[in-house]
Amino acid sequence: MTSRKPDEQLARNSRLRLVRPRPLSTARRAVTTRRTRPAPRPPEGTPPPAELARQARAVLDDAVRIARWAAVERHPEATPAQERAAAALGLTPEQVRAGWDRARLAGLVELHDGTARPGWRLRAWDRDDSAVLRGWVALFDAWSLVHPAPGDVAPAAVAEVVEAVPQVLSLLQLSAGPVPVPSLLDLLQQRVAELREERCEVPTGPVPGSAAGGAPREHVPEPLPGPDSLARLLGWALEGLAAVGALTLGEGQATLTPLGNWAVWVKLEQICVAAQSPAGHIEQSAEDMLRACARLTPGPARAEYRAWLAARPVGSAVTELLDVARGEDALLRGLAFEALRVVGAAAEGEVRTAAQEVSLRPYALLWLAEYEGADPDDAPDVLTREEATWLWVDTAAAVADHGEASLLVRHLESAVQGTVPALLDEVRAVGHPRTVQVLVALAAAHPDPALAKAMRRAAFQVHTGGA
């Protein structure tokens, strides 16, 4: 009768040592390798990204100065702090308040329990042109918050004008030069009328307040804002867009700046992507879209994520993706977070919340690390050993369900542990629900009898609850 060798002896067996160790980042690439594809070229005459970034830095210069001061001083949102900032930076209190608002809208600072903390864009501001441009686009998108609307105009009318402004910007972009304000006003009035017509609904029952049992009254929409009100709102919109550096105002005319022209082109490109989904899945649920993307190479998959996201509200899209990530399919979990990388800043809040869930925590922590500027190869350093092992098992489950045996064998080499016994000890301890299936699949796939035997033994121990 022979006795089993203890784990200490197994560790000395060279065949049970993991070879060619690779960083943990390869674990999540076993199924979803991230590669970039060339971005579409902007219109001829558009300045290069470095020049656009230089212009964006100039627009946000005061905001960056205030953000850096606030990050050092742990600036709270209080009037005395604004007065100290004004004295320290040589600005007026009004300039500090305006710069502070712009810094927050551009993602240069974040508030945590009422105290300022530098945002990832501020840390990357001097070295990363793409971070600068993303920060400026965030400010551009929030132009209506930078420049408050007239207080004596109905909020509904303000909302309609904000919704109609993209049409005005499109006309400015297509004109490639100054456009008279009266022409913009005509377009704005037409677009507001179209928006009201699109939303118009005729009620099928009595209108509240009508006589009991009487005939239902026709729904009468609110009258359109008068020409004077629309003209004031157009002026407000143009001033707000000028305040963020998207256009310049002259005598009775408006012209897009190079930054504004580029931003409008980017928005139009996103609309075109949504209208011409590369693989035709924009109408499908997040789960069906991700399953279809599993068959695509990384570049086309990212194009499909962009199209799917552009076709629906960001908030509901993020929620739907995270719901899929909570499911049992580990492959879809990884793909859902790849799609969330395309979402960017708009997903940060929900991803931070998801980091409290065991099954999503490693993915969420990697997402947040990359979002805050970490290199994808260094991002796994934020994970604890236990979290890294959980992610390794989850990725192995995805490979076992959807990949080939050779991929599963190669995935073994991405484990952070140096030997198979050490790996098996930590895999048993981490408590992943798919541990047994993963170990059985590894045992069946691996050509080395000693490794296969160790895997089968570990699977049996987990299945029976043994040590």
Side-chain angles (χ1 to χ4, degrees):
M1 183 174 178
T2 59
S3 60
R4 291 178 177 171
K5 295 181 180 179
D7 285 350
E8 290 78 6
Q9 293 180 14
L10 289 176
R12 289 195 294 269
N13 188 328
S14 62
R15 292 191 297 171
L16 297 185
R17 292 191 178 276
L18 299 177
V19 295
R20 292 186 290 120
R22 294 177 291 175
L24 178 67
S25 56
T26 59
R28 63 187 176 91
R29 293 175 185 161
V31 182
T32 57
T33 303
R34 297 181 66 214
R35 293 196 298 265
T36 58
R37 72 183 184 103
R41 291 183 177 275
E44 186 176 354
T46 302
E51 172 59 20
L52 291 172
R54 185 195 66 78
Q55 295 177 19
R57 287 185 175 97
V59 170
L60 283 162
D61 181 61
D62 282 354
V64 170
R65 291 175 62 204
I66 293 167
R68 285 175 172 159
W69 179 89
V72 171
E73 298 291 327
R74 311 293 290 174
H75 167 45
E77 281 194 305
T79 300
Q82 292 174 359
E83 292 174 352
R84 291 203 312 273
L89 299 174
L91 302 172
T92 66
E94 292 75 17
Q95 288 174 319
V96 170
R97 281 193 292 271
W100 174 250
D101 288 341
R102 289 151 71 93
R104 292 191 61 189
L105 292 170
L108 297 171
V109 291
E110 302 170 355
L111 281 183
H112 295 268
D113 298 326
T115 301
R117 191 177 78 178
W120 73 272
R121 286 181 182 141
L122 183 62
R123 294 192 292 270
W125 196 254
D126 293 330
R127 58 180 171 77
D128 189 341
D129 289 347
S130 64
V132 172
L133 290 174
R134 285 194 297 269
W136 182 84
V137 168
L139 181 69
F140 169 72
D141 288 339
W143 67 266
S144 60
L145 302 178
V146 173
H147 191 62
D152 57 346
V153 179
V158 173
E160 287 173 337
V161 168
V162 172
E163 192 173 355
V165 158
Q167 298 294 115
V168 174
L169 290 170
S170 296
L171 175 60
L172 285 164
Q173 202 259 354
L174 292 171
S175 299
V179 177
V181 171
S183 299
L184 299 176
L185 182 59
D186 288 343
L187 176 62
L188 180 65
Q189 191 161 10
Q190 293 172 21
R191 183 56 183 153
V192 169
E194 289 171 359
L195 290 171
R196 289 199 162 199
E197 185 177 351
E198 291 170 4
R199 287 195 297 263
C200 183
E201 297 179 357
V202 179
T204 57
V207 175
S210 61
R217 296 194 312 236
E218 285 189 21
H219 173 68
V220 179
E222 296 179 12
L224 286 170
D228 291 343
S229 294
L230 267 184
R232 288 183 62 206
L233 287 173
L234 175 62
W236 161 71
L238 294 178
E239 290 169 2
L241 291 163
V244 299
L247 54 80
T248 56
L249 298 174
E251 288 294 329
Q253 62 186 23
T255 309
L256 284 178
T257 63
L259 264 178
N261 188 69
W262 168 80
V264 175
W265 170 78
V266 168
K267 302 296 181 182
L268 291 173
E269 187 68 22
Q270 290 174 348
I271 293 171
C272 291
V273 167
Q276 300 174 6
S277 171
H281 302 292
I282 64 172
E283 299 298 331
Q284 296 182 355
S285 67
E287 180 173 350
D288 291 341
M289 181 271 295
L290 292 173
R291 289 194 186 280
C293 288
R295 298 189 295 269
L296 301 176
T297 54
R302 285 177 63 83
E304 195 67 13
Y305 302 150
R306 283 193 291 268
W308 187 86
L309 290 163
R312 50 192 36 80
V314 174
S316 61
V318 171
T319 299
E320 193 174 349
L321 287 169
L322 287 173
D323 285 343
V324 175
R326 294 184 179 98
E328 296 181 357
D329 194 323
L331 174 62
L332 296 188
R333 189 159 26 255
L335 291 174
F337 276 87
E338 290 296 313
L340 288 169
R341 284 181 173 84
V342 176
V343 177
E348 180 187 6
E350 291 206 46
V351 172
R352 288 193 184 279
T353 301
Q356 306 305 313
E357 303 177 39
V358 173
S359 64
L360 303 185
R361 182 170 177 78
Y363 295 95
L365 292 178
L366 290 175
W367 189 99
L368 291 167
E370 292 181 28
Y371 169 74
E372 292 172 354
D375 186 277
D377 287 333
D378 298 331
D381 293 342
V382 304
L383 301 182
T384 65
R385 183 72 165 242
E386 183 178 5
E387 291 161 352
T389 303
W390 198 101
L391 178 60
W392 185 90
V393 178
D394 205 51
T395 307
V399 178
D401 289 343
H402 301 278
E404 300 176 356
S406 59
L407 286 176
L408 194 58
V409 172
R410 289 204 298 272
H411 178 58
L412 184 62
E413 300 170 3
S414 69
V416 295
Q417 295 79 8
T419 66
V420 170
L423 170 65
L424 296 180
D425 284 344
E426 295 187 32
V427 165
R428 285 195 295 261
V430 81
H432 192 288
R434 295 290 304 280
T435 298
V436 172
Q437 294 94 324
V438 165
L439 292 175
V440 169
L442 275 167
H446 208 286
D448 189 305
L451 279 166
K453 181 179 178 181
M455 297 291 177
R456 284 194 299 270
R457 180 187 175 194
F460 178 78
Q461 290 173 335
V462 174
H463 180 63
T464 60

